[in-house]
Amino acid sequence: MPHTILYAEDHRVVAEAVKDTLESEGLRVIVCTDGAVALRKITSDAHYDLFIVDNHLPHVDGLELVSYIRRLPHRKSIPIIMLSASDAQKEAYHAGVDVYLKKPEDVSVLVRFVHQLIR
């Protein structure tokens, strides 16, 4: 069974490009374009091996999602990558991300970090 990633990203072109790239690596990617939808999935019992979140999302931002994930007993040890164009690196690490990557320049190293974190 492939590893499953929940990816919260509201920019559809970016979301599709990242999804296609990760799926070509044999990973399963569930995309949420809205922070509130991502929050519902995070609080569910669905299995995820990794979370990738943008910071700027409608309704619930990425920093809030990360903080929420880290407070849930069944989610707190799951790795989180923030992939964002915003300058929120310090806040993201404080909230609990494992890796902070800047869009667009760090997208090329995303696959490497995903593989490192889900091993």
Side-chain angles (χ1 to χ4, degrees):
M1 191 166 134
H3 290 288
T4 303
I5 297 169
L6 181 67
Y7 179 31
E9 168 64 68
D10 64 326
H11 193 282
R12 291 190 190 279
V13 173
V14 174
E16 285 304 313
V18 170
K19 179 179 189 214
D20 291 347
T21 300
L22 294 173
E23 286 182 342
S24 74
E25 295 285 317
L27 302 162
R28 181 171 173 246
V29 181
I30 312 295
V31 175
C32 295
T33 58
D34 180 294
V37 174
L39 186 59
R40 282 197 299 277
K41 291 186 181 294
I42 288 164
T43 57
S44 76
D45 289 329
H47 174 80
Y48 301 107
D49 297 289
L50 178 81
F51 297 108
I52 302 174
V53 296
D54 182 17
N55 189 33
H56 293 294
L57 295 166
H59 304 110
V60 180
D61 72 29
L63 292 172
E64 290 176 84
L65 287 177
V66 171
S67 295
Y68 204 86
I69 290 165
R70 290 299 179 227
R71 290 193 307 267
L72 292 171
H74 71 301
R75 301 284 191 215
K76 65 182 175 188
S77 64
I78 296 173
I80 304 170
I81 296 173
M82 181 167 281
L83 179 62
S84 182
S86 66
D87 286 319
Q89 185 169 358
K90 186 166 49 167
E91 296 89 344
Y93 280 115
H94 186 264
V97 302
D98 295 282
V99 174
Y100 183 89
L101 299 174
K102 282 285 278 182
K103 282 191 293 194
E105 58 269 24
D106 291 338
V107 171
S108 61
V109 297
L110 177 64
V111 171
R112 179 168 45 95
F113 280 105
V114 166
H115 284 301
Q116 283 177 2
L117 291 170
I118 59 177
R119 284 205 174 113

